[in-house]
Structures are given as structure tokens and as C-alpha cells.
Amino acid sequence: MADTSAQRRPPYQGVWTKRAADADEWLHLHKVVVSATSASLISTFTGFPLDSLKSRLQSSREKVSIPRLAAGVIKEEGIGGLWRGFPLPLVTISIVRTISFTIYSSTKRILNAVPALSDASRQSEEAAFGDRLDKGWGTGTGEASQKGPEVDEEKVKDPWIGLRLGMFSGDNAKDIAITSMLAGGASGAVVCVGSAPFELVKVRRQLEYQIYRDSRPELRNFPPTPIPNSALPKGTAPFQPPTTIQAVRLILASSGPLGLYTGWRLHFIRDTLGTALYFAEYDVMRYYLGRAKKERRDGEGGGGGFGDDVQGDVPEWCRGWIMKGMIPFLCGSLAGVTSWALIYPVDAIKTKAQQRALSGLPMRTPIEQLSRLVRGTDKSNPKPFLTGMARLYRG
């Protein structure tokens, strides 16, 4: 009997192995979209109850603890009350974050990519630097280094509008911070235009009871947590939270299409500043923890300069207590906490302004609202500054 083992193709030439290799290649080329979408779906689902409680605390005039507020919501609305209005953000936030990361990475590439050389310039550079651009990776010292990998021109990621500015492309903390702030700010500003209406609808769904209470003078002194309809004053319409579609219709009926952009200016400041700070902090921390920019040759990704960031070895000063695989998680966590802490007051004022608008109450300027939150409503007896700041950071 003939030995068929010699006729078998090696595993790496099998059909399923080829499909796996194609899938890996596709994931590598679209890693920004895949990573942003999957991370957004998971984080939105797990963090939505906390976001809902945050919005309720920001809009509440009374001091209430997080456990008490959560218990009141669950008692009157069930556990699903913590996810009120969840389906819309699950889709929209995932799309928004995916677009945000795509704009951010593309803007960085546009800023850092050096314009491609003309034939005359290329010949001049080759004569001056010993064919350095085509035969090796630069070291920054004028010496040619080892030959770089072959490049598949069809799979190279070029800036999405073909613009190559060649700015802030140095491998140092200053250039990285400036690039990330500009790219992050551009991402936040563009995404804010499309996400503002969905954010308003989400706030409306989260604050249904507060809006119901504030829109009825006879309920102003009632507790911030929902109460049974049987305990309402006689003649008061019962609390019946609308669906997401009904909430959109209510906004359009009361304020028209532009009503969906209520609080947009504060939303714009929050998203632009917050996204810029987050990416700048994240990338600078990654830089100090061993991530470096990989220099690329002219023709790779739209000109010379520095290309994709790669994680190198962990620096000696932290090698004993930080694992290489934990660096992205650590940097992302610290950047998220610190950047959010800086722009949280803007978010609190935005939520309060949107709540008042949705309740039909007179609008206040951001400065006036900030003063009332920090110093209180009694001008003759203002709150202590630290007490007011604690109120501003409630939630």
C-alpha cells in the first residue's frame, strides 16, 4: 500500500489554515475598527448603569448616596431601570467610538506623514545619503542600517485624503503629545456633531422621573427617587416613562429639530477637550513605558517619517512591577480617569442644562449654573468652596 503521508499537504497549506491566515490579515488591516467596536459594545453594556446613576445624581437637587439611589430605582423600576434607554446608546456609541478612533488614527497619519519625494529630490537624497531611503531604515545618525521588509503597495495604509503634512513626526514626548491632542480634538469635534442628538435622547431616558417631577410644581419637594403613583397628589398625572421613539417625538414636538442639539455647545467642549486630553495622556504614557514610533521608508503609508507605533521592551525603571501586556490597560485606565476628572464639571453643567430644557424650566448660562452648583443658591450665605466642589463632582 502506498504511503499517502508524503502526498498530504503541510498543515500551513490547508484550506482552513489559509482561511485563518486571511482572517488574521483582515483583522490586522482593520484592527482599529474591530478593536473599537468590540471594546465599545462591552464597555457600554457594563458601564451603562453607572452612567445612568451619574446622570441622576448630577441632576438631583437633593443629596443622595449612590446605593440609596440605585436601590430606589430598582425598587420602583426594576433592575431594567438601570438600563433605561440602553439599546440606542449600544448602537450609536459603538458607531461613534469606531468613527472616533478611525478619525484619530487617520489624522495622526496625516500630520506625521512626510510628503513623498519627487524623482529629482530622490536622486539628490540617494546621492547624499548613500541610497538610504530605498535600502535601509534610518537611524537618525546618517548611517544606513539593515534592509527593511518588503512592502505590499496595495495594502499600505495611506492618509485617507492623501494629505501629508509632515508635522510633529519626531519620536519624542512633545511631538507625540501635540499630535495626539490635535488628532484627538479633531476626532471629538467631528463625532460630536453626529452624537449630540443621541446623547440628548439618552439623557432624556435616564432622567425621565426628574423631568416628570421638575415639570410639575406640586412635585418639586418630592424625593429624587421614583415613588409609587398611588403616593402622588390627587389630580396629578401618573408617571409613565415614554419609549425611546416617544422621547424623540416629545423633543421634536416641543423644540423642533434643533431641539435635539440642546446643550450642544457644552457637549462640543466636553467631547473635544476630553478626547484630546485622553489620547495625549495615553500616548505620552505609552511612550515613557517603551512604545516607540517605527521609522518607515518613502512610499510606505504616504511618504517617509514615522509610521505605526510599536511596543518595545519595558523600561528598566518599571520592569519589575509592570508586565508588558498590561501597559495598554494601565495607560488607558489612567488616561481615562484623569481626563474625565478634568472635564467632569463641563459634563455636570451640560446634564443640568439639558434637564432644565427638557423640563421646560428657564435656561441658565453655564457661568450661572456653575456658580449655583459650587456656591449654592443663597448669595448671602454661599457654600464653602470645598463643599461646592464636592457637589460639582457628585456622581
Side-chain angles (χ1 to χ4, degrees), residues 227-249:
I227 60 174
N229 288 327
S230 58
L232 295 174
K234 187 176 181 180
T236 302
F239 172 57
Q240 184 65 37
T243 64
T244 299
I245 299 300
Q246 290 172 340
V248 174
R249 290 175 178 173

Side-chain angles (χ1 to χ4, degrees), residues 71-344:
V73 172
I74 295 174
K75 179 180 178 181
E76 297 301 328
E77 304 179 35
I79 191 68
L82 296 175
W83 275 273
R84 182 184 300 281
F86 168 70
L88 183 63
L90 179 65
V91 177
T92 57
I93 292 177
S94 300
I95 295 174
V96 163
R97 287 179 179 172
T98 302
I99 296 174
S100 175
F101 275 92
T102 302
I103 294 175
Y104 165 73
S105 58
S106 298
T107 305
K108 281 183 64 178
R109 198 175 298 120
I110 290 171
L111 288 171
N112 290 164
V114 176
L117 297 175
S118 63
D119 292 339
S121 299
R122 181 188 296 275
Q123 293 175 2
S124 175
E125 290 286 348
E126 290 175 355
F129 296 100
D131 204 17
R132 176 175 176 268
L133 290 176
D134 286 334
K135 294 184 178 180
W137 297 88
T139 61
T141 61
E143 299 177 358
S145 58
Q146 62 182 357
K147 186 176 180 180
E150 295 295 328
V151 179
D152 187 346
E153 296 294 341
E154 295 182 357
K155 297 179 181 178
V156 165
K157 286 190 175 182
D158 211 14
W160 56 286
I161 59 174
L163 185 61
R164 306 161 185 172
L165 300 180
M167 300 170 60
F168 313 116
S169 58
D171 190 16
N172 56 74
K174 183 188 73 173
D175 282 4
I176 290 173
I178 294 175
T179 298
S180 299
M181 285 200 72
L182 292 175
S187 172
V190 172
V191 168
C192 173
V193 177
S195 65
F198 300 104
E199 173 83 5
L200 180 67
V201 175
K202 183 196 75 170
V203 170
R204 164 86 199 201
R205 296 284 285 129
Q206 290 175 337
L207 303 181
E208 289 294 354
Y209 178 74
Q210 283 90 334
I211 294 172
Y212 165 80
R213 186 189 65 167
D214 290 345
S215 61
R216 291 165 173 79
E218 67 273 15
L219 301 179
R220 295 288 173 83
N221 296 325
F222 274 61
T225 55
I227 60 174
N229 288 327
S230 58
L232 295 174
K234 187 176 181 180
T236 302
F239 172 57
Q240 184 65 37
T243 64
T244 299
I245 299 300
Q246 290 172 340
V248 174
R249 290 175 178 173
L250 288 172
I251 295 173
L252 293 175
S254 61
S255 305
L258 292 180
L260 293 172
Y261 283 87
T262 300
W264 183 80
R265 293 178 182 177
L266 292 169
H267 190 172
F268 179 84
I269 295 173
R270 186 199 70 175
D271 281 10
T272 303
L273 183 59
T275 309
L277 289 173
Y278 172 80
F279 281 118
E281 292 180 37
Y282 175 80
D283 284 340
V284 170
M285 282 191 284
R286 288 291 304 273
Y287 169 77
Y288 281 115
L289 289 175
R291 189 170 75 169
K293 287 187 175 182
K294 181 180 69 175
E295 192 175 5
R296 61 187 168 199
R297 298 170 293 172
D298 181 41
E300 291 186 48
F306 289 93
D308 297 332
D309 296 342
V310 292
Q311 179 63 48
D313 294 332
V314 180
E316 292 185 4
W317 62 270
C318 61
R319 191 168 296 172
W321 54 280
I322 295 182
M323 294 184 296
K324 185 175 181 179
M326 290 296 295
I327 289 178
F329 174 79
L330 176 64
C331 294
S333 300
L334 291 176
V337 171
T338 53
S339 62
W340 185 244
L342 291 173
I343 56 96
Y344 190 85

